[in-house]
Amino acid sequence: MNRQDFPILERLVHGHPLVYLDNAATTQKPQCVIDAISEEYVSVNANVHRGVHYLSQQATEFHESARHSVCRFINAHSPQEIVFTRGTTESLNLMAFSYGERFLSEGDEVILTQMEHHSNIVPWQMLRDRKGVVLRIAPIDERGTLKIEEVEKLFTPRTRLLSICHVSNVLGTVNPIRQLADMAHAHGAHLLVDAAQSVPHFPVDVQALDCDFLAFSGHKMYGPTGVGVLYGRESLLDAMPPYQGGGEMIARVTFEKTTYERLPFKFEAGTPDYVGTHALAVGIDYMKAIGMTRIHEYEKSLTDYAMQRLADLPGVILYGRTDDKDAVVSFNLAGIHHLDVGTLLDQLGIAIRTGHHCAQPLMERYGVEGMCRASFALYNTREEIDALADGILRVQRMF
Ligand code: 7TS
């Protein structure tokens, strides 16, 4: 749907129409988002939060109204709970540093899962090495479903946090976040959701999910690169120390002592990407105008179609066959290296992702070095999935 809004989709790659199936890495941008960026530089640009002059006030208004948009989009209680970051990775690093500083001591436990992106593993390992926090890893079954009863068994009186992806960037597995929130809370722990692969695809409501924290990236949801979000419950964010020091995040500085700004500015040191936040809000409006439920239903039908098309091809090994699966199809071709598959498909103008997908422990779980991945966005079509299936047959014929 709405393909005409995305100018890049008209270009040719190696002489073929572009079939862009790497949306889990980043989505393409609609014209309205591209325009929002250039229009802000053309007519509004000024640094935010510090000027009495007209342009600074207008840029500040754009930036803060973007915070309101994000707040409404994920149904947070208040814009103070919306911290702008560079992306999911920075949001998770902020959590490991700041939540870790305030809520975790030596011997305290954090539960992760086998299907996490490195962004939700490495910051916690760095914290483990600094503070002696213990990481416990919840397993998945062969189909790529989280073993809920095994998660429950990992909780101990020392568990403080469960940090988990909403949707796996490799398997497409949609995790039952509300159930996990109830479980974590029953054990006196908090829940952090890596929502990088969910917020772009279906309605996400932090109150309905009852999660304590939620992280996502603008560039995976038709917005610009370099801007992301950390949502946190106000009482928890309030209790956490700043992550970085500098301008914007202070109330008063003397050489003896510095006091910090209120939420969310305490976590936003330095000049924010105010052009990015405004463009992100334009992207959110764009998705809302189409309707998140409509986007979800459409992408779900594409995913089902792709799974069926690929399952019908000989020699295709599919990973991630959960009942609740979203917008990602990962596979290997028997006897052919994933890099060769990706390179040959690229020659046909088909962009898929190959490799470990920043989830090496998950690759280890499946005993593979890498996989091929096709991931979908609202502008993809069944014809593009047919092109992928035909491309796979052509690749297989070459071996
Ligand atoms: N978490 C998940 C579940 C992700 O899929 C990604 C990016 C990140 C965190 C990190 O997001 P960033 O915006 O901070 O980089 N995933 C991918 C991917 O699957 N291919 O390229 C990036």
Side-chain angles (χ1 to χ4, degrees):
M1 54 172 91
N2 294 52
R3 270 184 90 78
Q4 71 286 355
D5 296 337
F6 294 82
I8 203 172
L9 298 179
E10 277 160 35
R11 67 162 294 177
L12 301 179
V13 169
H14 302 306
H16 297 276
L18 169 64
V19 175
Y20 185 77
L21 299 176
D22 193 17
N23 295 286
T26 199
T27 58
Q28 300 303 347
K29 318 304 172 199
Q31 189 66 51
C32 60
V33 167
I34 299 167
D35 289 345
I37 295 167
S38 70
E39 278 163 17
E40 186 155 4
Y41 282 123
V42 166
S43 60
V44 183
N45 184 51
N47 207 333
V48 292
H49 295 142
R50 38 192 105 182
V52 293
H53 63 79
Y54 182 82
L55 289 187
S56 175
Q57 287 182 1
Q58 201 177 356
T60 304
E61 215 172 285
F62 275 14
H63 180 62
E64 289 308 320
S65 106
R67 202 186 301 279
H68 280 79
S69 291
V70 172
C71 173
R72 285 191 299 273
F73 190 56
I74 61 168
N75 196 29
H77 281 102
S78 113
Q80 283 164 280
E81 297 180 318
I82 306 300
V83 177
F84 283 126
T85 63
R86 282 195 303 118
T88 309
T89 302
E90 188 175 47
S91 298
L92 296 173
N93 275 276
L94 191 166
M95 279 298 295
F97 181 89
S98 177
Y99 178 92
E101 196 64 22
R102 171 65 180 77
F103 290 106
L104 299 176
S105 316
E106 188 175 349
D108 282 343
E109 295 170 5
V110 174
I111 302 176
L112 309 173
T113 81
Q114 274 182 326
M115 67 173 102
E116 299 311 314
H117 187 279
H118 295 164
S119 292
N120 194 28
I121 300 174
V122 183
W124 301 110
Q125 288 176 325
M126 290 161 71
L127 180 70
R128 176 189 64 191
D129 296 346
R130 275 201 314 275
K131 281 195 114 171
V133 166
V134 177
L135 305 183
R136 295 183 169 270
I137 311 302
I140 60 171
D141 68 17
E142 195 59 26
R143 298 173 75 223
T145 314
L146 184 67
K147 294 186 179 174
I148 297 288
E149 61 303 334
E150 298 294 324
V151 183
E152 177 106 58
K153 283 188 206 152
L154 291 177
F155 281 93
T156 76
R158 295 300 302 268
T159 309
R160 300 282 171 264
L161 183 72
L162 167 59
S163 185
I164 182 170
C165 59
H166 199 169
V167 175
S168 158
N169 68 317
V170 177
L171 304 168
T173 306
V174 183
N175 286 312
I177 295 301
R178 178 61 203 234
Q179 189 184 351
L180 292 166
D182 292 345
M183 188 188 287
H185 294 152
H187 288 278
H190 295 129
L191 178 71
L192 162 59
V193 181
D194 171 354
Q197 302 292 352
S198 61
V199 170
H201 298 291
F202 52 80
V204 170
D205 176 331
V206 292
Q207 294 190 47
L209 293 174
D210 203 25
C211 57
D212 301 291
F213 302 95
L214 184 113
F216 55 99
S217 298
H219 71 97
K220 293 186 196 288
M221 48 192 283
Y222 313 105
T225 53
V227 55
V229 173
L230 175 67
Y231 155 82
R233 255 185 233 285
E234 191 170 339
S235 57
L236 295 175
L237 287 180
D238 230 0
M240 286 159 48
Y243 164 53
Q244 295 177 329
E248 290 269 320
M249 51 77 75
I250 54 90
R252 182 166 171 75
V253 179
T254 66
F255 279 115
E256 288 68 42
K257 183 178 162 52
T258 291
T259 51
Y260 303 124
E261 254 286 20
R262 66 205 146 84
L263 284 178
F265 307 109
K266 161 173 101 165
F267 292 110
E268 295 179 355
T271 299
D273 185 355
Y274 52 85
V275 176
T277 55
H278 172 57
L280 172 64
V282 171
I284 287 175
D285 285 346
Y286 177 80
M287 287 192 289
K288 280 168 80 170
I290 298 172
M292 290 310 295
T293 304
R294 234 182 107 210
I295 291 173
H296 181 48
E297 282 167 3
Y298 179 71
E299 291 176 346
K300 180 94 188 117
S301 76
L302 280 183
T303 310
D304 291 347
Y305 182 67
M307 285 297 282
Q308 182 206 319
R309 279 299 320 257
L310 268 57
D312 286 344
L313 299 178
V316 175
I317 305 148
L318 284 166
Y319 304 96
R321 291 168 157 277
T322 43
D323 298 330
D324 203 358
K325 180 177 170 77
D326 197 76
V328 179
V329 173
S330 286
F331 61 94
N332 269 319
L333 303 188
I336 309 177
H337 195 276
H338 53 88
L339 271 178
D340 290 334
V341 179
T343 308
L344 292 168
L345 287 175
D346 178 60
Q347 291 301 310
L348 304 171
I350 302 170
I352 61 157
R353 186 80 163 189
T354 59
H356 54 63
H357 308 288
C358 296
Q360 284 180 338
L362 184 64
M363 298 300 118
E364 205 175 308
R365 161 69 181 76
Y366 281 99
V368 296
E369 213 186 284
M371 297 176 184
C372 305
R373 180 187 71 185
S375 53
F376 311 118
L378 62 88
Y379 40 70
N380 287 125
T381 63
R382 284 183 174 225
E383 291 70 35
E384 290 180 308
I385 290 163
D386 291 339
L388 172 66
D390 292 346
I392 287 172
L393 287 172
R394 282 179 70 166
V395 170
Q396 285 172 324
R397 280 200 293 273
M398 288 183 208
F399 283 82

